[in-house]
Structure formats: C-alpha cells, structure tokens
Amino acid sequence: NAGVMQNPRHLVRRRGQEARLRCSPMKGHSHVYWYRQLPEEGLKFMVYLQKENIIDESGMPKERFSAEFPKEGPSILRIQQVVRGDSAAYFCASSQLLAGVTRETQYFGPGTRLLVL
Amino acid sequence: ELKVEQNPLFLSMQEGKNYTIYCNYSTTSDRLYWYRQDPGKSLESLFVLLSNGAVKQEGRLMASLDTKARLSTLHITAAVHDLSATYFCAGANFGNEKLTFGTGTRLTIIP
C-alpha cells in the first residue's frame, strides 16, 4: 500500500513565477491536509480538503495561495507570483475519516521543498 | 485557539541515559499526537493519545497524556544513537481536523 505521494520533491522558482505542488493521498483516504514548515520551525496548518470541497482554509494566506482536490487526480496547492518568503517545505497529509468519527491519524508525505530565488 | 508548546527545544544526551520531552497545550485538546522527523525527511507517526491517563510504548519510547494538566510527555529510555531526530507533538480539538504542532524538540544522542 503506497503511502502519501508528493511531487515534485524539490522545486526551484524565480520570484513572480507560479508553483504547483501535487499530493496523492494514501489509497482509501479521502481527506487531504496541507502544512507548511519554515526552516527550523514546526508545521503550520494551511488547508483541509475533501474531494471537491474545501473544509477548512483558515491557515491559507489570503492572496496568491489556492488549493483544490478534484474528483479525479491529486490535490494541488498553487502559489501564484511566488516571493522569497514562500520558500519552505510543504507537506501533505491524508487520513481516512469514517462517517461520524474523527480522531484519525494523519499520514504525511515526503514533502516538497520550494526554493524561491 | 489551541496553542502547543514543547520543551526543551534542544536536547543533547548520552547513549544509555533516560530523558523526557514535555508538551503543554493551552486549551482542551481531543487528542495528542507524537511525530518523529529526521533531517530533510517527512514526519513519521509515533503515537496517538486519546484519553486521560493514556500510555503507549514502542521500543525505547513511551508517551503519556494527562488531560487535566494539559500535558503530554515522551519518555526515552536508555537512548541509542538512532533515536536522534526532531520530535513534534501536535494537538487537535474534537470536530476540528487540523493539527496544531509544537515547535519541536531536536534530540541528539551522543555516543
């Protein structure tokens, strides 16, 4: 059973370009979370999605950042017009929430390390 | 808003010694997780603690939860070098799936 997959693993962009980060959840998982980790810091929640729905985007910056999890295909975190401060590791996690039950462990992908020049 | 604090931030210890990492949280947390992260790698799930008094052990690591004190501990017994990593605790509130992470404890085991 493959774990959470993320690609690319490393991404270099120049200021003003767009960054697209992809995440495929574990098989059978329908809930995806994105977190950002700045150097030497803990992870900060960005957004929580289910298929075709954004459930909680309270951690997403108001501008330039968007996320989606379409019916088919991976979840995508998009950063438009990147700036140097966007340089970080972006982790995707997935979980399997049974109907009406929470408390499921989130399993993390290997991360995408974004470097903005 | 849930806040999670860990201490110490850095811990250097000799092989064979015991030590404890502490995780305090600010408001009621429905569950508490411990993760391990090696440099440049992802997070590996170690434990999930769901109720007051919960204790879980895996090898040389043991985690416990005291919901009244809003405290979780990760105890390391007879440390070995391959336990060197950064350890994070994270909490979440019932009905809210986002995890709030502590700042992490960077553990270095010295031979």
Side-chain angles (χ1 to χ4, degrees):
Chain A
N1 186 10
V4 179
M5 312 274 284
Q6 287 188 252
N7 70 82
R9 296 289 300 277
H10 299 273
L11 182 61
V12 179
R13 284 286 178 267
R14 296 192 181 280
R15 280 179 296 169
Q17 291 184 318
E18 179 179 284
R20 279 190 176 220
L21 288 61
R22 294 175 186 77
C23 169
S24 296
M26 283 179 72
K27 187 176 180 181
H29 288 191
S30 56
H31 301 262
V32 165
Y33 315 81
W34 287 93
Y35 293 84
R36 176 165 63 176
Q37 185 179 33
L38 294 170
E40 307 298 325
E41 294 189 11
L43 278 75
K44 297 284 193 293
F45 168 81
M46 299 181 75
V47 63
Y48 162 37
L49 310 104
Q50 296 176 24
K51 287 281 188 183
E52 300 185 280
N53 282 307
I54 296 175
I55 307 302
D56 182 351
E57 56 181 347
S58 58
M60 286 277 271
K62 294 287 184 278
E63 296 178 350
R64 302 188 297 108
F65 285 73
S66 63
E68 62 177 6
F69 189 15
K71 187 175 180 181
E72 301 291 337
S75 175
I76 295 177
L77 178 68
R78 182 188 302 171
I79 312 172
Q80 296 177 300
Q81 299 177 315
V82 295
V83 301
R84 288 214 173 111
D86 296 333
S87 296
Y90 292 83
F91 289 96
C92 168
S94 73
S95 71
Q96 180 188 35
L97 274 177
L98 303 177
V101 176
T102 58
R103 301 175 162 189
E104 288 292 320
T105 295
Q106 293 180 18
Y107 294 91
F108 283 79
T112 294
R113 280 149 183 86
L114 172 65
L115 176 62
V116 180
L117 301 177
Chain B
E1 183 185 340
L2 177 64
K3 285 185 167 57
V4 178
E5 290 187 358
Q6 282 179 245
N7 69 84
L9 297 184
F10 298 93
L11 177 57
S12 182
M13 51 191 291
Q14 286 186 314
E15 278 190 327
K17 300 290 188 185
N18 304 333
Y19 210 81
T20 301
I21 299 171
Y22 298 90
C23 176
N24 292 88
Y25 52 95
S26 60
T27 64
T28 302
S29 178
D30 181 59
R31 53 205 186 278
L32 200 294
Y33 299 87
W34 285 95
Y35 286 90
R36 167 183 171 148
Q37 185 180 38
D38 291 294
K41 305 290 186 184
S42 186
L43 279 77
E44 174 191 354
S45 176
L46 295 175
F47 303 107
V48 53
L49 304 165
L50 301 178
S51 59
N52 187 42
V55 177
K56 291 195 174 179
Q57 183 162 6
E58 181 73 34
R60 299 174 189 274
L61 301 178
M62 183 174 71
S64 65
L65 179 63
D66 180 344
T67 58
K68 292 180 182 176
R70 295 179 183 164
L71 171 69
S72 179
T73 61
L74 180 67
H75 187 74
I76 302 144
T77 302
V80 293
H81 180 69
D82 63 8
L83 289 179
S84 296
T86 299
Y87 292 85
F88 291 98
C89 64
N93 290 325
F94 185 78
N96 187 340
E97 298 310 312
K98 70 180 184 185
L99 298 182
T100 299
F101 281 83
T103 49
T105 296
R106 185 180 292 183
L107 174 65
T108 303
I109 309 297
I110 303 166

